[in-house]
Structures are given as C-alpha cells and as structure tokens.
Amino acid sequence: MSEKENRKMKSAIYPGSFDPLTYGHINIINRGRKIFDRVVVAVAGNMSKNTTFTIDERADIIKELFRGVKGVEVVSFRGLLVNYMSRRGIRTILRGLRTFSDFEYEFQMAMGNKKLAQEVETLFMITEGEYSYISSSIIKEIVALGGSARGMVPPLVEKKLREKLRAERAAVKRGR
Ligand code: COA
C-alpha cells in the first residue's frame, strides 16, 4: 500500500515486544479496530529486553491468531519506531495503560517519540480491569512452573510457550 493510501486510511500502530502476546494485548487491538480502519501490530526487535521468542516467532504467533481478521496487520521492525512509522506514513501510536505504574514509562516513551517526530501522537487506552494484572513475564513464570495460563493467553500462545520452554530445558540438559 502506498504512503498516500496509508494516510487516507486511519491507521494506528500498536508497538510492543509481545513476548508473548496476551489477552490484554488482544483487548487493546480489538478496541483499537473499532476506532481505526487499521491497527498495525508492530513487533519490536533490538530491545534491551532478553526475549524468550525470536522476533519472527513473536510476529508469526500474532499473524496466526489474527489471520483473516479485517483491519489488523502484523509486522516486525528494528530500529526506531518513529522511523518505521515515517516509512509507512503512520502518525498515531496506540498503547495500553494497565496500572498507574505503567504511566511513567509510557509518559517517557510518548515524550521521547514526540521529540523525535513532532507529527506523531500517542493515544492510550485503559486496559480492561480483568487484564490489568497480566504481563508477559508473569505468564512465562506461571507456565514455566507448571501452572495454567488459561484465560490469560490464547491456547496457541500457551502451547508455543510450553514447546519453547521444553526446548530450552532440553538444550540446558544437553549443555551440562
Ligand atoms: N495487557 C497486558 N499486558 C500488557 C499490556 C496489555 N494491554 N500492555 C503491555 N503489557 C505488558 C507486556 O506483556 C509487557 O510485559 P513484560 O514486561 O512482562 O514483558 C509489558 O507490559 C510491556 O510490554 P509492551 O507493551 O510489549 O511494551 P514494551 O515495553 O515491551 O515495548 C516498545 C516497548 C517496543 C514499544 C518500545 O521499546 C519501542 O518503541 N521500541 C523501538 C525503539 C524506539 O523507538 N525507542 C525509542 C522510544 S522513545
């Protein structure tokens, strides 16, 4: 799609590490779809975070879950978010706010992005109550310790997480 067409459609980018995607993220994507013609879910690479899944694995999971869903596009990017947005002609960032403690970090990011690109606006949605306690790290811990993440992540995510953790454990054993 050309940059001009992109601008005509009301698009928002929803960036994150998505390591892995949770129902909390899905809640934001689905509510975003009601406001924007298109929500571009953008999986970030090269972050300070040590991720469990590779950038391609994270993006593939989201693609599989949203296959055929109108108004959702899944991409991955490296480098600055605002540079990727400029290449795509997108000017709105969508982010979810879970608790008050998210605010400071989100505030810094929104201001940082604004400083880098004046035309970029960040819109926040309050994550719905039942998802406000979820984080990708909590889910990874629950699954790693043998618990069930049902209701927190889609079954596909839980399956991939179990496979990944099993493979990691096997690799550690082999290395011993
Ligand atoms: N429901 C449930 N959990 C949520 C959530 C929601 N709606 N929104 C966020 N979370 C959780 C995530 O699971 C994640 O948990 P974790 O820390 O345990 O992994 C945490 O909140 C934050 O994750 P996420 O929303 O994916 O954001 P992030 O902080 O990992 O991503 C980027 C930040 C990728 C958007 C940011 O680093 C970026 O833009 N990077 C590109 C480089 C750049 O431009 N940097 C300059 C920025 S000014």
Side-chain angles (χ1 to χ4, degrees), residues 43-93:
V43 180
N46 69 324
M47 291 164 317
S48 44
K49 272 185 183 175
N50 251 336
T51 57
T52 301
F53 292 99
T54 66
I55 183 169
D56 290 339
E57 287 169 340
R58 287 178 274 142
D60 286 347
I61 290 173
I62 308 174
K63 278 180 191 160
E64 202 163 327
L65 288 168
F66 282 91
R67 182 168 299 139
V69 176
K70 229 178 138 221
V72 178
E73 180 189 346
V74 184
V75 298
S76 53
F77 74 102
R78 292 179 196 276
L80 283 177
L81 174 64
V82 291
N83 288 349
Y84 179 76
M85 292 174 70
S86 153
R87 287 199 294 278
R88 293 291 308 269
I90 301 171
R91 294 182 167 190
T92 309
I93 300 172

Side-chain angles (χ1 to χ4, degrees), residues 16-17 24 28 44 49 80-81 95 98 105 127 134-137:
S17 47
I28 300 293
K49 272 185 183 175
L80 283 177
L81 174 64
R95 292 283 291 171
R98 288 168 300 168
Y105 171 61
T127 306
I134 298 179
S135 80
S136 301
S137 310

